[in-house]
Amino acid sequence: MENWRKSSYSGPGDGNECVEIANTSTHVSVRDSKTPTQATLTFPTPAFTLFLGALKSGRSNGLLLDS
């Protein structure tokens, strides 16, 4: 069983519009906190770490960050 936690960026108040994350040594799972029984996205830990690094630095490094 995965240990889910809400994003620290969910903010004060209801905090209903955020994601939850669960991680192990091999993968990171992400889900919508409003519908936790629906779809979950799972990524290999190195890929998710690279993605977060790109977001934090403001560089996409070829990642599609815009719609």
Side-chain angles (χ1 to χ4, degrees):
M1 180 167 188
E2 294 179 295
N3 185 25
W4 292 94
R5 63 188 191 280
K6 283 191 178 184
S7 167
S8 60
Y9 291 98
S10 62
D14 62 15
N16 288 331
E17 296 184 16
C18 64
V19 296
E20 293 178 322
I21 188 170
N23 60 306
T24 69
S25 60
T26 60
H27 72 275
V28 176
S29 298
V30 180
R31 69 182 182 188
D32 185 340
S33 65
K34 295 182 301 294
T35 56
T37 60
Q38 299 296 316
T40 299
L41 298 173
T42 302
F43 306 92
T45 298
F48 193 74
T49 301
L50 179 63
F51 174 70
L52 288 181
L55 289 177
K56 289 178 181 179
S57 70
R59 291 177 285 120
S60 67
N61 292 331
L63 298 172
L64 180 61
L65 299 179
D66 299 322
S67 51

